[in-house]
Amino acid sequence: MSRLRNDYENSRFHRFEKWVDGEAAPTELKLETKEPVWRRPPEELSGPKLNEEKINAAVYDERHNKELKYFRVVNRLASVVLCLMLIGVLLWTVVYLPEFGNPDNPINNEVSARYIEKGVEETGATNFVTGMILDYRAFDTFGESCVLFIAATCVQVLMRLDNSDDREKMKKKQAEENDRIYEPKNDLILQKVSCVLVPLLFIFGIYIILNGHLSPGGGFSGGAIIGSGLILYLNAFGFKKTERFFTEKTFRRITLAALTFYCLAKSYSFFTGANHLESGIPLGTPGAILSSGLILPLNICVGLVVACTMYAFYTLFRKGGM
Amino acid sequence: MEWVRLIVSAVFLLLGLLVFISAAIGVNKFKRALNRIHAAALGDTLGILFMILGLVVWKGISFASFKLLLVVLFFWLASPVAGHMISRLEVMTDEDLGEIEVDHHEDL
């Protein structure tokens, strides 16, 4: 015969059920809580004021710390030994180097002879170096310009603001990161001088790029000059003026177009084992500005990529973004 | 005639060297940033002019000497402005400028 309990809430089974559900500990209901009795009044607990200087001096007691002394001595000794070992290894290898200026040296092989003898004839560029880097070894240069692009994109990824769904939060973040309100400094002297210098820099950079196959220079140096001109313009007049012609979108489009053109024009050499393949463009007379086939457009591509990357790095590293 | 040219160019080169040496000594001797900028700017303007004038006199007037004079022009435009920007930053950020008195113009 079962008996119906009236006080189910206090029954053992209900307590167990509650414990299973995680609502209460089995012993919780039995415990009586008392206010803790302070033996001492709480003010005394803090005790006498701790002297921070004394504690710091005791903790960072470098003079009497034997381990630290030992570590420093070992550290210095190890650095000296490492340096000596490096010097020894390098000197050891120097002994095995071929004699300087010896005509039988391995660098004086048929490759450089071929470049010097047939370079102008085959590439059409009077500047040997450009003929080498943009014709014989164009694929290397493609990798170099890709490295620049990848570096710029990596910085962009690292400096990107975290995307949050909340539009208000995003706005707040952008406002915090934005330091363009302090720009430009509107320095009259800088503005007047950059009015004169920036066009000159651009023209000089373009001249160097376009004459890459005729005289020393080429895409890399000319691009660097154009990039510095852009940076000077930005410093003088601020983002409002540069954003009219150069934003992140422009950067993306220019680099993408230049790299794609380069890839389409030259990457076949990777598949043909770096063999020369006729581009179909006549080489022209060496020394003329429109000569040497694909080298001029490739120089322009490299110059564009380098200029954009220089400018992108500058703008990215000064917090404001592009 | 050849001798005169050589001597004139040598005098120019020596003057330029003197200016450069004094600029180097000034950059290393002065303690404050503004003084050091002043010393460094001396070499970048007057020293460059003397040096390149000496070279131009030595080699005679040609297209290359024209390019050298363009280098002087570029330096005269760029170097003082760079010095001006750096000194402006120094004045704006350094609170302890010593006995140097600075007029603050907001519109500059």
Side-chain angles (χ1 to χ4, degrees):
Chain A
M1 200 174 149
S2 62
R3 193 162 55 94
L4 222 109
R5 283 187 70 157
N6 293 328
D7 50 346
Y8 179 70
E9 277 80 20
N10 286 331
S11 72
R12 208 169 271 175
F13 186 75
H14 179 67
R15 259 182 254 155
F16 178 70
E17 196 187 341
K18 260 192 162 180
W19 178 68
V20 168
D21 289 344
E23 285 172 23
T27 53
E28 194 187 47
L29 296 171
K30 290 178 193 169
L31 270 179
E32 280 183 33
T33 50
K34 273 185 187 172
E35 282 285 313
V37 182
W38 296 104
R39 295 273 162 89
R40 285 182 234 152
E43 292 95 51
E44 271 182 44
L45 259 183
S46 60
K49 275 197 177 174
L50 301 171
N51 195 343
E52 274 191 27
E53 281 183 16
K54 262 189 181 174
I55 291 178
N56 277 341
V59 171
Y60 301 111
D61 188 10
E62 289 178 358
R63 271 190 199 169
H64 297 97
N65 194 339
K66 272 187 183 174
E67 284 176 17
L68 197 68
K69 253 186 189 173
Y70 181 70
F71 172 74
R72 276 186 183 158
V73 169
V74 169
N75 196 7
R76 275 177 200 165
L77 272 180
S79 59
V80 169
V81 168
L82 196 72
C83 269
L84 285 177
M85 274 168 67
L86 253 179
I87 291 169
V89 167
L90 290 177
L91 283 178
W92 185 257
T93 37
V94 162
V95 174
Y96 290 102
L97 280 181
E99 199 184 331
F100 182 74
N102 194 354
D104 297 331
N105 280 352
I107 50 158
N108 291 329
N109 54 9
E110 66 278 359
V111 177
S112 56
R114 165 77 178 252
Y115 285 162
I116 292 167
E117 281 168 12
K118 297 230 175 166
V120 177
E121 191 185 314
E122 284 181 352
T123 64
T126 42
N127 183 1
F128 281 153
V129 179
T130 310
M132 251 180 264
I133 64 166
L134 285 175
D135 196 289
Y136 292 115
R137 296 169 176 233
F139 201 70
D140 288 4
T141 317
F142 179 55
E144 280 162 30
S145 37
C146 273
V147 161
L148 286 176
F149 172 67
I150 290 165
T153 25
C154 283
V155 174
Q156 249 174 343
V157 168
L158 285 176
M159 304 230 159
R160 197 175 66 115
L161 290 175
D162 289 334
N163 241 338
S164 83
D165 301 325
D166 199 353
R167 202 173 262 186
E168 287 278 312
K169 266 189 187 173
M170 198 65 199
K171 259 187 186 173
K172 216 178 176 185
K173 262 188 188 174
Q174 275 173 349
E176 273 174 17
E177 291 293 316
N178 190 11
D179 64 346
R180 291 181 192 188
I181 32 173
Y182 310 114
E183 297 260 331
K185 298 270 191 270
N186 278 328
D187 194 283
L188 196 65
I189 299 171
L190 184 64
Q191 283 180 350
K192 289 289 171 200
V193 167
S194 64
C195 274
V196 179
L197 273 188
V198 169
L200 282 178
L201 280 174
F202 282 167
I203 289 171
F204 187 51
I206 291 167
Y207 162 80
I208 284 184
I209 290 177
L210 292 186
N211 274 285
H213 54 295
L214 306 177
S215 57
F220 287 102
S221 35
I225 291 170
I226 290 181
S228 64
L230 277 172
I231 293 169
L232 180 61
Y233 187 76
L234 172 66
N235 260 328
F237 296 104
F239 275 104
K240 249 187 197 171
K241 294 247 176 153
T242 52
E243 266 173 356
R244 290 182 309 183
F245 62 89
F246 201 103
T247 55
E248 209 177 320
K249 219 181 231 174
T250 343
F251 167 75
R252 244 181 287 154
R253 280 180 188 163
I254 289 178
T255 43
L256 193 71
L259 286 176
T260 313
F261 175 75
Y262 198 125
C263 180
L264 290 177
K266 273 294 174 187
S267 62
Y268 61 80
S269 69
F270 183 64
F271 299 107
T272 58
N275 274 332
H276 192 66
L277 211 72
E278 282 301 320
S279 62
I281 302 171
L283 289 181
T285 49
I289 187 112
L290 280 176
S291 66
S292 69
L294 264 176
I295 287 180
L296 183 61
L298 293 186
N299 247 337
I300 294 171
C301 285
V302 173
L304 283 175
V305 172
V306 172
C308 288
T309 313
M310 293 257 308
Y311 181 73
F313 270 133
Y314 179 76
T315 49
L316 282 173
F317 278 126
R318 52 171 301 296
K319 199 181 171 192
M322 241 190 296
Chain B
M1 192 59 203
E2 198 76 2
W3 276 104
V4 174
R5 211 160 80 180
L6 207 64
I7 287 168
V8 169
S9 76
V11 167
F12 271 130
L13 285 179
L14 283 175
L15 271 176
L17 210 61
L18 194 74
V19 173
F20 267 118
I21 287 172
S22 58
I25 290 173
V27 167
N28 286 300
K29 273 274 177 190
F30 285 133
K31 293 281 185 288
R32 293 186 176 281
L34 287 175
N35 295 344
R36 296 168 72 168
I37 290 167
H38 163 73
L42 191 73
D44 273 354
T45 49
L46 197 65
I48 285 269
L49 174 72
F50 277 140
M51 279 295 183
I52 283 176
L53 269 185
L55 291 179
V56 166
V57 171
W58 193 329
K59 282 291 168 188
I61 293 162
S62 64
F63 192 62
S65 60
F66 174 69
K67 280 183 186 172
L68 282 176
L69 289 179
L70 275 184
V71 169
V72 173
L73 188 72
F74 180 81
F75 263 91
W76 278 14
L77 277 175
S79 164
V81 177
H84 163 68
M85 291 312 286
I86 297 171
S87 56
R88 194 181 129 120
L89 191 73
E90 164 75 8
V91 166
M92 270 164 58
T93 53
D94 193 0
E95 290 173 356
D96 179 31
L97 280 173
E99 62 265 38
I100 303 166
E101 281 183 19
V102 182
D103 290 335
H104 288 277
H105 290 292
E106 286 305 315
D107 54 323
L108 250 181

